Amino acid sequence: MSSIETIAPTQSSSVFTLFSPKLLPATLMLGGGVTLYAVESYITATIAPSIVRDIGGLELFSWMTTLFVAAGVLGSITVATRPKGMGLRAVYVVAALTFGAGSLVCAIAPTMPVLLVGRAVQGYGSGMLSGLAYAFIRFIYPQPLWRRASTLYAAIWGVATVLGPTLGGLFAAGGAWREAFVILVPLAVIMAFSARRLLPDVADDRIDTRTPLLQIILLLAAVLFVSIAGTIEQGAYKAVLIAVSAALVAAMVLIERRSEVRLLPYGAVMLGNPIARLYLTIFTMMLVLTSDIYIPYFLQTLHGVTPLISGYLVALVALGWTTAAFFSASFTGRQAAIAIVTGCILETAATASLIPFLATATPFTALAEFAPAVIAMFLMGFGVGLGWAHLVTRIIGIARKADEDKASAAISMTQSLGGAFGAALAGVIVNSAGLTHPGGIAGGLSAANWLYTLMAIPGLLAIILSFTIKPASA
């Protein structure tokens, strides 16, 4: 099937085995796809003000992110719902070329509506690339390396939260936002042509290739509504949009449970099934983690921290994720199960600890004053990274043979949904708590207290779920 069959699947293999001569090409291809999706999300957020100043379209500002996220979810779904007989390598080629085409449209866009078309195309291609990374794991690597590969992809997302804004800032500082898209075009073309040589041509082993159109429509509508909710200021409208989005997801779940044509792997919408609890744990952990988007604001408003320093401090969340991912990469069996439970507890406790550590009006002028909040931010990401790869590996490992593509694609989809719902929910909380009215220090204090109190609650659900996840050897 591929050259990886000649590699001994030893339990002692480390993450660095992924970069051995025989695995390096595929690792670069799959890791590169995840990198494009992750980094591009943050680069565009950073250069967006420069884009608006150049071509206008301030009223459509939020749609640059909204369309990218929604299209990315659709792209990850496409990996599992692709036409019958279409192999994963062919999907990779299409995904890379689609991403490149979207980047080119963005680079030459004369107006905001044209740029939004490019962002949607770009998001669709990058969503496929991200989903393909998990779909290819079982074909590229021996099973003992699945966890290491998942660790690598998790680490990429952590690094992207630092690398993306940094690169975006460089382009924005020079007024070169178009160049930020231009450089992606040849890169995407190279990836597309390299795929035919560096990725195995695996057979399409799906049994049911019918498209669950209704579930896809409901899910995409839910993503759009919740993404829009995260971009408007009125708290009442936010709440309504989130409620509508939640209702659409509930409707999708009900249809999924009764339909013969499924979007998700078998058991994913039945809480009594282990795979459903794994996905729900991923969703809740991402939802809680997204509360970090307001940390820079609170640092600047409540503690007098400069924008530059606050940006680097919030990057500690990403550093924690990446550090924990590599720290726990060698865990197996009971160790892995404990890592998942410990990670959920750490993330929840760290989020709640920001109430006394961050929701105060004390200026941070000395290291001792920074330290508690810094440790809490690091542990938020550390908790997620500690169990993430093991959650992913368990999903791939227990999914039915005919559902393995669906199971892999749903990982990226669930991650995006958790982030989208988390951002929207956080927006509702802080605006309802007075972030803008009365605003200032009083509003910031109220918003911070309510945000980290309420956003820690889903973490309790993640903890409960984590205790039900059995070791892989059980």
Side-chain angles (χ1 to χ4, degrees):
M1 184 177 295
S2 72
S3 60
I4 58 95
E5 292 177 343
T6 63
I7 296 177
T10 61
Q11 289 289 345
S12 61
S13 299
S14 71
V15 174
F16 298 104
T17 307
L18 303 175
F19 299 94
S20 62
K22 290 183 179 179
L23 294 178
L24 179 61
T27 297
L28 292 178
M29 293 296 292
L30 300 181
V34 177
T35 301
L36 283 181
Y37 189 20
V39 173
E40 181 58 22
S41 301
Y42 295 101
I43 287 181
T44 304
T46 307
I47 65 175
S50 299
I51 295 174
V52 170
R53 283 194 295 268
D54 189 15
I55 64 176
L58 181 60
E59 69 280 3
L60 299 173
F61 184 92
S62 63
W63 285 93
M64 279 189 279
T65 298
T66 300
L67 288 176
F68 185 85
V69 171
V73 172
L74 180 60
S76 64
I77 292 173
T78 301
V79 174
T81 60
R82 64 190 186 275
K84 176 67 175 177
M86 186 177 189
L88 292 175
R89 189 173 69 180
V91 177
Y92 190 101
V93 173
V94 172
L97 292 177
T98 300
F99 178 83
S103 301
L104 180 60
V105 172
C106 290
I108 64 176
T111 62
M112 182 60 76
V114 176
L115 186 133
L116 292 180
V117 172
R119 282 293 283 168
V121 175
Q122 192 184 45
Y124 182 67
S126 60
M128 282 194 284
L129 288 172
S130 180
L132 281 164
Y134 293 112
F136 257 120
I137 281 181
R138 61 193 174 100
F139 297 111
I140 296 291
Y141 309 109
Q143 187 168 352
L145 288 178
W146 290 0
R147 185 172 54 260
R148 274 72 171 186
S150 300
T151 296
L152 176 65
Y153 303 152
I156 287 172
W157 275 98
V159 172
T161 61
V162 179
L163 184 60
T166 301
L167 292 175
L170 292 175
F171 285 109
W177 67 266
R178 293 187 187 275
E179 284 78 358
F181 292 112
V182 168
I183 62 171
L184 297 174
V185 178
L187 180 61
V189 172
I190 291 173
M191 292 174 66
F193 279 96
S194 299
R196 297 191 64 82
R197 293 187 56 203
L198 304 182
L199 292 175
D201 185 17
V202 296
D204 183 0
D205 57 2
R206 295 170 300 159
I207 296 175
D208 187 356
T209 58
R210 293 173 294 176
T211 302
L213 189 59
L214 183 55
Q215 292 99 304
I216 292 175
I217 292 173
L218 288 171
L219 187 59
L220 287 179
V223 172
L224 283 172
F225 277 122
V226 78
S227 297
I228 294 171
T231 61
I232 62 177
E233 295 184 359
Q234 294 87 347
Y237 291 151
K238 280 179 176 285
V240 169
L241 287 171
I242 291 177
V244 171
S245 181
L248 290 171
V249 172
M252 189 277 290
V253 169
L254 288 175
I255 293 172
E256 181 78 1
R257 293 187 69 168
R258 299 173 182 176
S259 177
E260 294 182 359
V261 183
R262 289 180 285 106
L263 172 64
L264 302 172
Y266 176 81
V269 292
M270 304 171 188
L271 197 56
N273 192 298
I275 200 168
R277 299 195 294 275
L278 289 165
Y279 281 120
L280 189 54
T281 302
I282 286 178
F283 176 84
T284 50
M285 292 185 79
M286 282 304 303
L287 188 149
V288 173
L289 188 69
T290 311
S291 63
D292 72 342
I293 61 177
Y294 287 96
I295 288 178
Y297 178 85
F298 294 138
L299 287 172
Q300 294 171 42
T301 304
L302 302 178
H303 304 287
V305 178
T306 65
L308 178 62
I309 297 300
S310 67
Y312 281 116
L313 285 177
V314 78
L316 288 168
V317 178
L319 178 62
W321 181 330
T322 303
T323 302
F326 285 107
F327 172 76
S328 65
S330 62
F331 293 175
T332 58
R334 184 169 175 77
Q335 282 183 317
I338 293 174
I340 294 173
V341 173
T342 305
C344 291
I345 294 173
L346 280 177
E347 183 196 26
T348 304
T351 301
S353 72
L354 289 175
I355 300 169
F357 296 154
L358 195 62
T360 65
T362 305
F364 285 166
T365 56
L367 180 60
E369 296 167 343
F370 275 88
V374 165
I375 294 172
M377 286 182 269
F378 180 84
L379 289 179
M380 281 180 69
F382 192 90
V384 177
L386 196 63
W388 188 269
H390 306 296
L391 289 166
V392 170
T393 304
R394 288 293 291 134
I395 288 173
I396 298 174
I398 68 175
R400 293 184 173 186
K401 182 68 176 177
D403 283 339
E404 286 176 329
D405 277 359
K406 291 180 180 178
S408 300
I411 294 169
S412 179
M413 181 180 72
T414 303
Q415 181 178 351
S416 297
L417 287 174
F421 272 90
L425 182 59
V428 170
I429 294 171
V430 297
N431 286 323
S432 301
L435 185 71
T436 55
H437 303 287
I441 293 179
L445 282 172
S446 176
N449 272 290
W450 279 105
L451 177 64
Y452 296 110
T453 298
L454 296 178
M455 290 297 278
I457 293 176
L460 298 176
L461 174 60
I463 293 172
I464 294 171
L465 290 168
S466 68
F467 277 103
T468 71
I469 298 172
K470 297 181 179 180
S473 59

